[in-house]
Amino acid sequence: MSSYWAAHAWLADGCRADVGFDVEEGRFARVQVGVEPRVGQEILRGVTLPGLANGHSHAFHRVLRARTQTGGGTFWTWREQMYAVATRLDPDSYFSLARAVFAEMARAGYTVVGEFHYLHHDPQGRPYADPNAMGKALIQAAKEAGVRLTLLDACYLSGGLAATGHLPLDPVQTRFSDGDVDHWQARVSLLNDSDQVRIGSAVHSVRAVPADALSKIGEAAGERPLHVHLSEQPAENAATQAFYGRTPAELLDDHGLLGRRTTVVHATHLTDTDIKTLGGTQTSACFCPTTERDLADGIGPARRLTDAGSTLTLGSDQQAVIDPFEELRGVELHERLVTGERGRFTPAELIKIASASGYRSLGWSDGGRIADGAPADFVVVRSDSMRTTGARPDQIAYAATAADVDQVVVAGKVIVRDGRHRLGSPAQLLSAALDHLGEA
Ligand SMILES: [Zn+2]
């Protein structure tokens, strides 16, 4: 057992002072407020937050950070650059890259990652000897980095959608596809949950999965988390409307894919009816503000979705930025730009979006909270850095960055201490991984 005393900690009822708690077998025990530190307790200065969830990640996109910023373009031209990286990865290079990226995430305060995974096969589209070699590379990477992982294994069947229908796979996309839902399901069924790993499902998008396959994927997913990219770009809406006469959200609803187990990612360009449908079905929506601005996607209706009944979560997506505080602030600050109002979300709502809501959408329904019996995942933020000095403890997330994360604990195990990850420098790990890929 280990025992802690936190000067300030975020509990279910807000930010509280003088909080004592124990950790037993990887879970919180005896969380008490307004207590003095005891002999033998580790003192946590600053503000202790529940574990922070990265609800949407593509680890390998990290290669593109600050390498795609000249020459203009759109989401679609960026995607060409991303595909060029996708063709070069194999299980070894994928592992070393993902390990560095997950270590960077841990160092930034993320304790659980939802990896939306579609790089399944070799560059010619042939299964590796182990058909889950790429997924297992991600699982091993997360294990070494110390974060929980939900592997959202994506079904990807078509090369896109035009007004005339679904397009054949481009050669670069062949490694994403299992050919049909049965083969996808058979491969995914070989993967198993373990202590810090959950297996979930994903529909890449209504562009990459024809409507006649959607219900079957929904059935195969069962009660496990099911994630879908939705309406990130107006072109997806236009093509779906032209071919199916429906919006992407309507199409998912038609096939029974919406509901509490489901998270739609981005949800940027929605109709009023889409918002009502997503909220009414209690579908979660994962916003990725730093990606959505980097890729010129637009600003999604965060407050309106929440008011309609959806739960918001956050993701770093294409890794232009890995910083949970930047994502959390992005949701609120983008709303301010659009509405001309401050305080569209309360500090408590933003912390919940970043923690418990994200955990639940990744299949860890009791995580992301500091409470008796919950998994002992927490993040200590310094309140004495040049960014955070003077911040009120309950508002520190408006000032802090990933650089202010001092300690990170997952399942009771310390993975970051004094701002250092247990594997060493994530930058050095990444530099070695980029060398390996010939990207240095
Ligand atoms: Zn994505």
Side-chain angles (χ1 to χ4, degrees):
M1 187 187 86
S2 34
S3 192
Y4 295 88
W5 180 88
H8 293 92
W10 265 97
L11 308 183
D13 58 353
C15 188
R16 308 295 298 271
D18 305 328
V19 178
F21 59 87
D22 297 334
V23 172
E24 277 178 359
E25 293 176 4
R27 291 184 177 264
F28 290 111
R30 291 173 288 282
V31 178
Q32 291 178 301
V33 176
V35 295
E36 297 288 319
R38 294 195 316 264
V39 175
Q41 276 184 318
E42 183 176 337
I43 305 291
L44 305 175
R45 303 276 168 214
V47 180
T48 300
L49 302 175
L52 302 174
N54 187 353
H56 187 71
S57 158
H58 306 284
F60 78 91
H61 294 186
R62 174 64 181 82
V63 174
L64 297 172
R65 182 186 298 173
R67 295 174 78 107
T68 63
Q69 302 292 352
T70 53
T74 64
F75 169 90
W76 305 102
T77 53
W78 171 86
R79 193 178 72 157
E80 294 305 315
Q81 296 171 299
M82 181 269 282
Y83 280 175
V85 176
T87 55
R88 296 210 308 282
L89 288 156
D90 60 24
D92 283 348
S93 54
Y94 204 33
F95 162 74
S96 51
L97 179 59
R99 184 176 61 165
V101 175
F102 293 153
E104 180 182 351
M105 289 178 188
R107 173 62 189 79
Y110 286 122
T111 47
V112 60
V113 179
E115 177 70 17
F116 195 109
H117 167 55
Y118 55 87
L119 268 182
H120 302 307
H121 304 299
D122 82 6
Q124 283 71 46
R126 295 170 306 213
Y128 288 104
D130 177 343
N132 286 304
M134 294 293 267
K136 287 179 183 172
L138 294 167
I139 289 171
Q140 186 60 26
K143 206 172 175 181
E144 294 193 17
V147 293
R148 296 180 195 273
L149 178 75
T150 297
L151 186 71
L152 299 157
D153 192 300
C155 186
Y156 198 119
L157 302 176
S158 89
L161 181 62
T164 49
H166 284 271
L167 306 171
L169 294 164
D170 195 75
V172 69
Q173 296 167 322
T174 54
R175 68 183 311 188
F176 309 163
S177 179
D178 293 292
D180 58 35
V181 178
D182 290 334
H183 284 89
W184 166 77
Q185 189 181 356
R187 182 179 52 72
V188 178
S189 71
L190 301 173
L191 290 163
N192 294 309
D193 290 352
S194 57
D195 265 6
Q196 288 189 203
V197 177
R198 294 274 181 282
I199 306 301
S201 299
V203 168
H204 179 275
S205 58
V206 297
R207 290 175 276 125
V209 177
D212 59 14
L214 292 174
S215 309
K216 207 167 173 181
I217 296 172
E219 281 161 32
E223 290 308 305
R224 289 172 177 274
L226 175 65
H227 288 221
V228 193
H229 288 119
L230 182 86
S231 296
E232 180 176 6
Q233 284 283 326
E236 173 179 302
N237 289 8
T240 311
Q241 198 61 252
F243 184 62
Y244 291 110
R246 309 289 281 155
T247 67
E250 287 168 346
L251 204 57
L252 296 181
D253 192 35
D254 291 346
H255 293 84
L257 259 61
L258 301 183
R260 269 179 68 76
R261 69 172 169 172
T262 302
T263 300
V264 292
V265 181
H266 302 300
T268 308
H269 301 281
L270 302 179
T271 66
D272 291 349
T273 311
D274 291 342
I275 293 172
K276 226 169 134 183
T277 306
L278 292 167
T281 53
Q282 296 185 292
T283 301
S284 293
C286 184
F287 276 41
C288 309
T290 66
T291 290
E292 289 147 10
R293 62 196 185 211
D294 184 80
L295 296 182
D297 290 338
I299 300 177
R303 186 73 249 177
R304 291 179 64 209
L305 273 168
T306 306
D307 292 343
S310 288
T311 300
L312 293 193
T313 67
L314 298 171
S316 67
D317 191 8
Q318 48 103 324
Q319 333 292 6
V321 173
I322 292 179
D323 185 333
F325 304 100
E326 192 62 28
E327 304 297 345
L328 169 160
R329 280 194 292 273
V331 170
E332 165 64 19
L333 297 179
H334 290 181
E335 278 275 323
R336 291 185 188 185
L337 288 172
V338 171
T339 63
E341 285 175 21
R342 305 179 79 230
R344 299 281 291 172
F345 290 88
T346 65
E349 282 181 307
L350 292 174
I351 295 291
K352 191 173 176 202
I353 287 168
S355 56
S357 300
Y359 269 73
R360 194 192 64 75
S361 92
L362 295 174
W364 306 88
S365 54
D366 57 352
R369 65 196 83 213
I370 298 174
D372 285 2
D377 299 0
F378 60 90
V379 176
V380 183
V381 183
R382 293 182 69 125
S383 55
D384 61 354
S385 77
M386 63 181 179
R387 289 165 293 274
T388 57
T389 293
R392 280 176 47 165
D394 64 334
Q395 296 181 24
I396 199 165
Y398 295 77
T401 70
D404 299 312
V405 169
D406 194 44
Q407 187 160 336
V408 178
V409 172
V410 175
K413 290 192 277 292
V414 178
I415 58 172
V416 173
R417 188 186 288 284
D418 300 328
R420 283 190 200 87
H421 190 273
R422 67 181 191 186
L423 291 178
S425 156
Q428 282 174 9
L429 291 173
L430 186 70
S431 169
L434 293 174
D435 273 347
H436 190 162
L437 259 185
E439 282 284 341

